[in-house]
Amino acid sequence: MALLPNSLILLLLSTLSIIIPAHQHQHPLDSLTPAEFSKVRAIVHSSYPIPSHATAFHYVGLEDPNKLTVLSWLKDQTAKTPPRQAFVIARINQTTHEITVDLTVNKIVSDKLYDGYGYPLLTFEEQIAANALPLKYAPFLESIRKRGLKIEEVVCGGFTVGWYGEERRKKRIVRVMCYYLDGTVNAYTRPVEGVTVTVDLEETKIIGFKDRLTVPIPKGEGTDYRGSKQSPPFLAQLKGITMVQPDGPSFTIDGHRIRWANWDFHLSFDSRAGPIISLASIYDLQKQKFRQVLYKGFVSELFVPYMDLTEEWYYRTFFDAGEYGYGLCAVPLEPFSDCPENAVFMDAYFAGQNGMPVNMPDVFCIFEKHAGDITWRHTETIKPGEEIREVRPEVTLVVRMVSTVGNYDYINDWEFKQSGSIKVTVGLTGLLEVRGTVYTHNDQIKEEVYGTLLAENTVGAHHDHFLTYHLDLDVDGDANSFVKSNLQMTRVADQMSPRKSFWRVVSETAKTESDARIRLGVEQADLLVVNPNKRTDMGNSIGYRLIPGSLTRPVLSDDDYSQIRGAFTNYNVWVTPYNKSEKWAGGLYADQSRGDDTLARWSLRYSGIG
């Protein structure tokens, strides 16, 4: 059973060193190793040799082993280990191939051509090449000259183009927009507005250019965000805070398996999803065994549609995971800044465009957090002459990754609590993407500008961020149901009490997928994933609550092309039958997709929940 909620917080100098022992047996859910990436590359090239085939690797990741096989292996690690396979999406001679490589027998076991709508993840290499093209393109150089700008101070960035009802495009393209530095590193606040360069990614050439209008470049003064460049007044200096664990951390790491307090789980990396938490179980002291909670959880998609309808902006409706790679955009974490001094760091790897492994140092940090919070307390004064007080401080375990997708930095935390809760949060920081304008004061504006005037010649464009998680919950086993419990006002009958009303809990188990689509905030409800085959000693169902944090929903019309592609945001919670191929809420091929392979479409295929 897979749950995919969006926009939720869920129940969902020296550095610290720790010995991470080499695990004796490779875990079937471990990320691909550098040696395995190299092996995949060699096997693919053996079938499509260079130079007769132009091959670009757009995604290489672990092919999910059969779930039942993994669970059997987990119970008995002397049992047969699931086959080790890699899933590859490659552009070979400008055609998309879906390739499964069996690393045990060293051969391709499946090679399918994809001829549907949409294209795979963009690679870093092709983006860098596209961004460099305008700087040597004569019409663009002329546009920069007539604006009185210095070309050596211009930098550029590419944007995916979405889909707006066009007949099928046969080219993988991006539109490149450029920015002016000249005294600041905050490029995003100084757009060269009105100039659009269209680039064919695979031919690495400019196929379209337009200089539509000229507006002033926003000022650069005061926009450099680096502390060393700040001018008074400064914030008050704070005295140092230290996190000390004299006996070392309370968690252990064996390969990718992490144990802490009553939790045991597996952490891996994927170039599209970033961190993947698997096989999370919690130890039951009374039963003296670990009990299953979560088979797998990860970021499925991050949809960022902008509301600006101007020609240079309307197409900016980004799928940050499916187009750019939430994991690919992960950045090294800074000790003592991104993570506290008691943190332990882990590297990750991904396949470059040429298939070779690329190291991502310090992409995860794991640390115990004690922020002065209280997990439980009570003061009892009912007994005359005696006061009883019990206070338990809250110490949690955090797994953190930061993904910088263009102008925004997403701080992705998985936080495990001793109470049994899992808290998933995403902090958003970084820089605004702004549009240049002729306006210098709000009183001048008599038209829709699709944003807020933030400074002279600077509009902050309205936009949304919809983060969707894939959660495959296995609460005490994989036979789970989804229950919605509402608070129902009930009138008091027969004058049995002076009270006129009370509320009671009315629970409904979802029978179909439509029963399980939830728009949060519309009604008061508890959302539960329960195992109907397991009961507590009192006869209550065993389950986990989904506890929402901030709530949001789209405001676009259902027939808007952007919302057709992002229809998986129409509900905050969806429940679908388990299907390991349905991982990405925005579809496997998000770039230039048409919304025909998304969670919203999958949900229509099924008549019930399995």
Side-chain angles (χ1 to χ4, degrees):
M1 171 174 181
L3 279 126
L4 295 101
N6 69 61
S7 305
L8 296 178
I9 297 176
L10 301 174
L11 177 100
L12 297 193
L13 290 16
S14 62
T15 60
L16 177 69
S17 62
I18 181 174
I19 296 175
I20 303 178
H23 48 327
Q24 295 180 350
H25 305 286
Q26 186 174 40
H27 195 288
L29 298 182
D30 280 356
S31 314
L32 295 178
T33 66
E36 288 174 326
F37 281 119
S38 297
K39 183 184 289 188
V40 167
R41 178 180 184 271
I43 292 170
V44 171
H45 280 316
S46 68
S47 294
Y48 298 99
I50 301 173
S52 55
H53 296 85
T55 301
F57 293 83
H58 289 260
Y59 174 84
V60 183
L62 179 70
E63 169 72 8
D64 286 337
N66 180 276
K67 182 176 177 179
L68 293 178
T69 305
V70 173
L71 294 175
S72 296
W73 177 88
L74 196 64
K75 291 177 182 177
D76 179 11
Q77 295 187 20
T78 63
K80 185 178 179 180
T81 303
R84 188 81 172 158
Q85 296 184 332
F87 179 65
V88 179
I89 298 177
R91 292 282 289 173
I92 302 175
N93 298 333
Q94 299 190 13
T95 301
T96 301
H97 287 247
E98 299 174 0
I99 300 171
T100 303
V101 176
D102 192 311
L103 295 165
T104 306
V105 297
N106 296 328
K107 69 177 185 179
I108 292 174
V109 293
S110 177
D111 186 351
K112 300 177 182 177
L113 293 180
Y114 175 75
D115 194 36
Y117 298 112
Y119 294 104
L121 284 170
L122 277 63
T123 69
F124 284 150
E125 292 87 344
E126 64 189 2
Q127 292 179 72
I128 292 168
N131 296 342
L133 290 176
L135 304 180
K136 297 181 180 179
Y137 186 63
F140 179 80
L141 296 177
E142 174 59 22
S143 292
I144 295 300
R145 186 200 63 77
K146 77 176 185 180
R147 286 169 170 80
L149 306 178
K150 296 175 283 189
I151 189 63
E152 63 271 18
E153 294 291 339
V154 175
V155 294
C156 301
F159 297 94
T160 52
V161 297
W163 170 70
Y164 295 92
E166 307 94 338
E167 289 299 319
R168 179 172 181 170
R169 292 194 188 101
K170 295 183 179 180
K171 292 182 180 293
R172 296 180 58 244
I173 63 172
V174 292
R175 292 200 174 111
V176 177
M177 181 175 181
C178 298
Y179 307 88
Y180 197 57
L181 297 174
D182 199 23
T184 182
V185 296
N186 188 354
Y188 296 103
T189 199
R190 306 199 75 195
V192 181
E193 202 64 58
V195 180
T196 302
V197 181
T198 304
V199 173
D200 181 323
L201 287 173
E202 288 172 321
E203 296 291 341
T204 316
K205 69 178 183 181
I206 293 174
I207 59 173
F209 175 80
K210 191 169 187 179
D211 188 345
R212 187 177 69 89
L213 80 168
T214 301
V215 299
I217 301 291
K219 294 178 181 178
E221 292 82 3
T223 64
D224 197 320
Y225 49 80
R226 292 174 292 180
S228 61
K229 301 296 182 180
Q230 299 303 301
S231 301
F234 300 108
L235 292 175
Q237 271 308 104
L238 299 179
K239 295 182 179 179
I241 299 176
T242 300
M243 177 66 185
V244 178
Q245 291 183 284
D247 300 321
S250 299
F251 60 89
T252 59
I253 301 176
D254 181 7
H256 292 268
R257 184 180 179 184
I258 299 173
R259 292 185 178 183
W260 172 80
N262 44 357
W263 282 103
D264 187 338
F265 62 91
H266 183 274
L267 169 65
S268 62
F269 174 84
D270 180 83
S271 60
R272 181 162 178 170
I276 296 179
I277 302 293
S278 304
L279 302 175
S281 299
I282 192 164
Y283 192 73
D284 187 322
L285 285 170
Q286 186 176 9
K287 295 182 180 294
Q288 293 287 293
K289 68 174 186 178
F290 279 96
R291 300 172 67 181
Q292 294 172 263
V293 175
L294 175 72
Y295 180 74
K296 187 169 289 188
F298 54 87
V299 171
S300 181
E301 192 51 83
L302 178 48
F303 180 42
V304 187
Y306 280 77
M307 299 297 115
D308 195 318
L309 304 188
T310 57
E311 186 171 333
E312 294 77 25
W313 281 73
Y314 75 90
Y315 56 84
R316 302 187 192 197
T317 53
F318 305 124
F319 286 60
D320 282 353
E323 293 174 338
Y324 296 99
Y326 195 63
L328 280 178
C329 294
V331 294
L333 298 172
E334 294 286 338
F336 309 108
S337 298
D338 284 316
C339 310
E341 58 191 299
N342 62 321
V344 173
F345 294 82
M346 291 178 65
D347 291 359
Y349 292 85
F350 70 93
Q353 182 173 297
N354 63 2
M356 291 297 291
V358 179
N359 177 235
M360 305 180 78
D362 298 340
V363 75
F364 295 136
C365 71
I366 302 102
F367 60 92
E368 289 167 283
K369 184 173 80 172
H370 177 30
D373 296 326
I374 297 169
T375 192
W376 187 90
R377 80 169 326 279
H378 180 62
T379 299
E380 185 57 74
T381 60
I382 196 170
K383 188 174 181 180
E386 187 174 350
E387 182 175 280
I388 301 171
R389 181 178 295 111
E390 174 76 9
V391 183
R392 299 172 192 169
E394 176 151 277
V395 179
T396 63
L397 184 74
V398 177
V399 175
R400 174 170 293 167
M401 187 194 85
V402 173
S403 182
T404 301
V405 189
N407 53 308
Y408 280 117
D409 293 54
Y410 298 94
I411 305 163
N412 197 111
D413 282 0
W414 287 80
E415 185 172 3
F416 294 83
K417 301 190 176 191
Q418 295 180 73
S419 61
S421 297
I422 304 174
K423 183 178 180 181
V424 185
T425 59
V426 176
L428 179 62
T429 180
L431 306 166
L432 282 174
E433 181 82 42
V434 303
R435 177 166 60 85
T437 179
V438 297
Y439 299 116
T440 59
H441 193 278
N442 264 322
D443 292 346
Q444 302 168 345
I445 301 174
K446 307 300 181 185
E447 61 180 338
E448 177 62 67
V449 293
Y450 312 110
T452 302
L453 190 68
L454 303 175
E456 291 184 4
N457 310 120
T458 307
V459 171
H462 294 152
H463 62 286
D464 300 301
H465 297 256
F466 295 98
L467 193 77
T468 300
Y469 280 87
H470 175 110
L471 299 177
D472 182 6
L473 289 164
D474 281 356
V475 179
D476 248 3
D478 58 0
N480 286 184
S481 297
F482 182 71
V483 177
K484 181 174 66 174
S485 296
N486 293 300
L487 303 182
Q488 184 181 86
M489 189 277 289
T490 306
R491 302 290 298 182
V492 175
D494 302 326
Q495 297 182 335
M496 60 177 291
S497 169
R499 295 276 295 274
K500 300 296 184 183
S501 66
F502 66 103
W503 61 256
R504 63 192 183 99
V505 179
V506 178
S507 298
E508 176 188 0
T509 300
K511 302 298 182 185
T512 66
E513 292 203 37
S514 59
D515 293 340
R517 297 173 188 163
I518 305 296
R519 284 193 174 113
L520 294 167
V522 176
E523 58 184 343
Q524 291 181 315
D526 272 349
L527 308 178
L528 305 164
V529 177
V530 304
N531 189 326
N533 304 311
K534 303 286 182 69
R535 299 278 179 173
T536 68
D537 291 343
M538 296 297 102
N540 295 314
S541 296
I542 291 171
Y544 260 71
R545 287 179 67 198
L546 301 182
I547 304 176
S550 59
L551 306 178
T552 188
R553 56 183 296 189
V555 187
L556 297 176
S557 63
D558 290 343
D559 64 348
D560 189 310
Y561 293 110
S562 302
Q563 193 57 34
I564 291 172
R565 298 177 71 220
F568 54 90
T569 64
N570 288 341
Y571 295 90
N572 298 99
V573 177
W574 306 68
V575 181
T576 69
Y578 174 77
N579 184 333
K580 75 172 186 176
S581 69
E582 296 177 351
K583 297 168 63 174
W584 313 113
L588 182 58
Y589 299 98
D591 180 30
Q592 300 185 42
S593 64
R594 299 177 64 163
D596 58 345
D597 178 34
T598 71
L599 171 59
R601 288 295 185 96
W602 310 335
S603 186
L604 298 176
R605 297 177 190 167
Y606 307 108
S607 58
I609 293 178

